[in-house]
Amino acid sequence: TRVDTNGDIVLLEDQDRSRWNRDCIDEGLRLIFRVMSSRRLGVYSLQAAIAAEHARAATASHTDWRQIVGLYDALLEINPSPVIELNRAVAVAMHDGPQAGLELLEPLLLRDELTNYHLAHAAKADLLRRLGKLSDAIDAYELAISLARLEPEKRYLSRRLQETQAPLKS
């Protein structure tokens, strides 16, 4: 369900969760519960716990973003990484709103590690779009498109760019 019949990206929030393999998800949830209960947490178990939070939610709107932010906090403690910081900023945006996420994201983009990472600019564009800062969002989408390498990603970002430009053309 991560791509449609044309090979285009389908965001997690837009996926048809009824098509997910519940047996595999249930098995994964049992395994991650066992690992989390053991208190021997590592990078992979925390990443699995984040994925489990997404899988547990019946719909995207039922996702426990507070829990996901906490898991990213724990992951950052044992594995500091600019990409994990980016993912945490997105989770904060989902929990506390786009402005809160943007305040965490913008300083990350000033660091060399994410300057050329298209997903960081795509995240910024999305947050700006959600805040109604369409001109800034357009600039961020254009930069993200220029940095993206895979065609499905470029197509997705181009669609978002067009959707963001549409109200300005009216």
Side-chain angles (χ1 to χ4, degrees), residues 80-146:
S81 150
V83 172
I84 295 170
E85 288 181 73
L86 168 63
N87 292 342
R88 182 186 180 278
V90 171
V92 167
M94 297 303 291
H95 184 260
D96 298 327
Q99 185 62 45
L102 192 59
E103 288 170 7
L104 294 172
L105 177 59
E106 286 188 321
L108 293 175
L109 289 171
L110 298 176
R111 296 175 13 199
D112 289 339
E113 300 101 334
L114 297 180
T115 302
N116 294 316
Y117 187 46
H118 71 287
L119 294 178
H121 296 284
K124 179 180 179 180
D126 183 63
L127 296 177
L128 289 165
R129 180 185 59 79
R130 291 175 190 231
L131 288 168
K133 298 178 180 182
L134 301 185
S135 294
D136 292 335
I138 288 167
D139 293 341
Y141 278 124
E142 288 173 344
L143 181 54
I145 293 165
S146 74

Side-chain angles (χ1 to χ4, degrees), residues 58-75:
T59 65
S61 65
H62 288 99
T63 303
D64 186 347
W65 289 106
R66 182 191 59 75
Q67 179 70 11
I68 291 174
V69 170
L71 290 166
Y72 274 119
D73 289 341
L75 187 55

Side-chain angles (χ1 to χ4, degrees), residues 22 42 66 77-78 84 86 160:
R22 289 307 317 173
R66 182 191 59 75
E77 282 187 36
I78 63 172
I84 295 170
L86 168 63
R160 280 291 196 187

